[in-house]
């Protein structure tokens, strides 16, 4: 490759093909295909996030996030990370790769004051809560790394300011009812069951009182519905066997 303008020219044509419409896109595509064939280049030579192919159809599935991920481990990594932390289209494997390249707690430190202002919470308390975040917490959430991190910090703060409580239940159906009640009311998951059974969850005193009141009022109806659903399921199976 002796022409120093070859790759810049090819990348410009690729940009026109990606962003163009109608005749402009078609013309750019024809010129780019001809240039790739003439100089034995592939799309990978133009952008390492693209496959080793001369088929322009690969450009239709191109994503900016994939291009930025290709810069990790290079001199352009810092700029790529600045954009990737807010990218909301990363797959789980891509998110894991990004997590390997960032310091979660440093990123949280940079953004925690803004999150605290938006959520109306104490910045110092949120900052302390963010120190407990793990990669697993991030992977369990959705969205960009920044939004996942904000969600994880808020959840850690909630757990730290709401003590674990136990609501006793007698049957699996009652346990499912109480778990659904708590998780919907609080927006946070219940805890893994302990040896004592029942439902364990982080709740404030008012939340605990509310859950107990709802349970006392509606648990009989939950039991009735569970029994009815079980009966209907058994009847449906029996009809299948009979027919």
């Amino acid at each position: 490759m002796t022409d120093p303008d070859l790759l810049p020219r090819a990348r410009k044509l690729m940009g026109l093909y990606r962003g163009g419409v109608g005749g402009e896109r078609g013309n750019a595509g024809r010129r780019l295909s001809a240039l790739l064939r003439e100089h034995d280049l592939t799309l990978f030579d133009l952008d390492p996030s693209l496959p080793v192919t001369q088929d322009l159809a690969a450009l239709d599935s191109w994503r900016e996030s994939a291009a930025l991920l290709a810069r990790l481990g290079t001199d352009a990594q810092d700029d790529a990370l600045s954009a990737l932390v807010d990218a909301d289209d990363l797959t789980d494997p891509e998110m894991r790769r990004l997590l390997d390249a960032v310091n979660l707690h440093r990123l949280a430190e940079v953004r925690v004051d803004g999150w605290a202002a938006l959520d109306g919470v104490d910045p110092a308390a949120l900052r302390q809560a963010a120190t407990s975040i793990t990669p697993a917490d991030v992977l369990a959430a959705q969205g960009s790394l920044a939004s996942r991190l904000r969600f994880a910090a808020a959840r850690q703060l909630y757990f730290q300011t709401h003590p674990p409580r136990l609501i006793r239940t007698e049957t699996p159906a009652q346990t499912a009812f109480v778990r659904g009640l708590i998780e919907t009311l609080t927006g946070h998951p219940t805890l893994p069951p302990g040896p004592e059974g029942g439902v364990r969850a982080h709740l404030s005193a008012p939340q605990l009182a509310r859950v107990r009141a709802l349970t006392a009022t509606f648990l009989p109806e939950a039991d009735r519905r569970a029994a009815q659903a079980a009966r209907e399921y058994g009847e449906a199976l029996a009809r299948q066997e009979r027919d």
Side-chain angles (χ1 to χ4, degrees), residues 34-175:
L35 187 147
L36 293 176
R37 289 193 301 270
E38 179 184 354
H39 297 278
D40 195 26
L41 296 172
T42 69
L43 295 176
F44 178 83
D45 295 312
L46 308 185
D47 187 329
S49 68
L50 293 169
V52 181
T53 180
Q54 293 181 339
D55 184 0
L56 299 191
L59 294 175
D60 295 332
S61 59
W62 177 88
R63 296 161 46 240
E64 182 180 8
S65 297
L68 292 169
L69 282 165
R71 299 178 190 173
L72 299 183
T74 72
D75 292 340
Q77 173 168 301
D78 289 345
D79 290 338
L81 288 175
S82 297
L84 282 169
V85 293
D86 291 304
D88 59 4
D89 63 341
L90 298 181
T91 64
D92 284 345
E94 289 173 339
M95 182 61 69
R96 291 188 182 93
R97 184 178 175 193
L98 178 58
L99 286 172
D100 288 338
V102 299
N103 184 313
L104 283 180
H105 299 144
R106 188 176 301 166
L107 177 59
E109 177 68 26
V110 170
R111 301 209 175 190
V112 72
D113 287 334
W115 297 339
L118 290 170
D119 295 339
V121 299
D122 177 28
L126 189 61
R127 183 175 293 106
Q128 192 280 327
T131 62
S132 301
I133 296 173
T134 67
D137 295 326
V138 172
L139 290 171
Q142 299 293 324
S144 68
L145 174 56
S147 63
R148 292 175 187 227
L149 194 56
R150 177 183 176 184
F151 177 82
R155 174 159 286 179
Q156 288 293 336
L157 179 60
Y158 177 88
F159 288 161
Q160 292 178 11
T161 54
H162 293 67
R165 316 277 190 170
L166 174 65
I167 294 87
R168 298 192 180 279
T169 55
E170 297 179 0
T171 66
Q174 291 183 359
T175 298

Side-chain angles (χ1 to χ4, degrees), residues 2 21 26 28 31 48 51 54 61 67 156 169 180 193 203 219-220 226:
T2 58
V21 293
R31 292 172 59 191
Q54 293 181 339
S61 59
Q156 288 293 336
T169 55
L203 298 167
L219 195 57

